[in-house]
Amino acid sequence: MTEQKPIQWDLPDPFTFEILVVEDDTDELGHPNNVVYVRWLEDISWAHVKSLGMTWELHEATGKAMAITRTEIDYLVAANPGDRLVMGTWLTGFDGRFRSARQFQLVRPEDGKTLVRAVSTHACVDLKTQRPSRAPKEFADIITAACVAGGKGL
């Protein structure tokens, strides 16, 4: 087993998610397709908010959800089939009403390289109308408590 380098996270105490790159993730270039990276961002985002208590049941009870309005991804180094990766994420901004921000970092622990950095922004929407809506107190409390300083916020 190869010795892994310590991960140099961009921000402290990330919520992490382990990923094994499989052949089905790759495209003709032999590395994960950009759509796969977006799926990984979505997967860790849901896992993170659920761990904070922002479950789908809470979304249904409030009739609200945080919808992605923008995702910016920097692909720095390619991953390969068989790579074991760790994605970290942080909530990095909340305007107290409608919008929040999240930051991501994808690392290959084997060599300590950061493969991807990404930022997404979200807006609270009403589940029935899909129109912007003020975040319910339950969301505001969870997001505010989880936000970390120093990241790329709003």
Side-chain angles (χ1 to χ4, degrees), residues 89-101:
T89 191
W90 306 263
L91 286 165
T92 55
F94 181 55
D95 70 2
R97 299 179 327 240
F98 303 101
R99 298 183 319 132
S100 66

Side-chain angles (χ1 to χ4, degrees), residues 11 90-94 101-103 119-120 146-148 150-154:
L11 296 169
W90 306 263
L91 286 165
T92 55
F94 181 55
R102 172 181 292 283
Q103 194 167 319
V119 177
S120 63
C147 271
V148 300
K152 295 179 182 177
L154 298 173

Side-chain angles (χ1 to χ4, degrees), residues 16-37:
T16 60
F17 194 86
E18 293 186 9
I19 297 166
L20 173 63
V21 181
V22 297
E23 288 288 336
D24 284 348
D25 293 330
T26 63
D27 57 20
E28 288 78 5
L29 297 174
H31 57 71
N33 184 278
N34 61 325
V35 173
V36 173
Y37 287 100

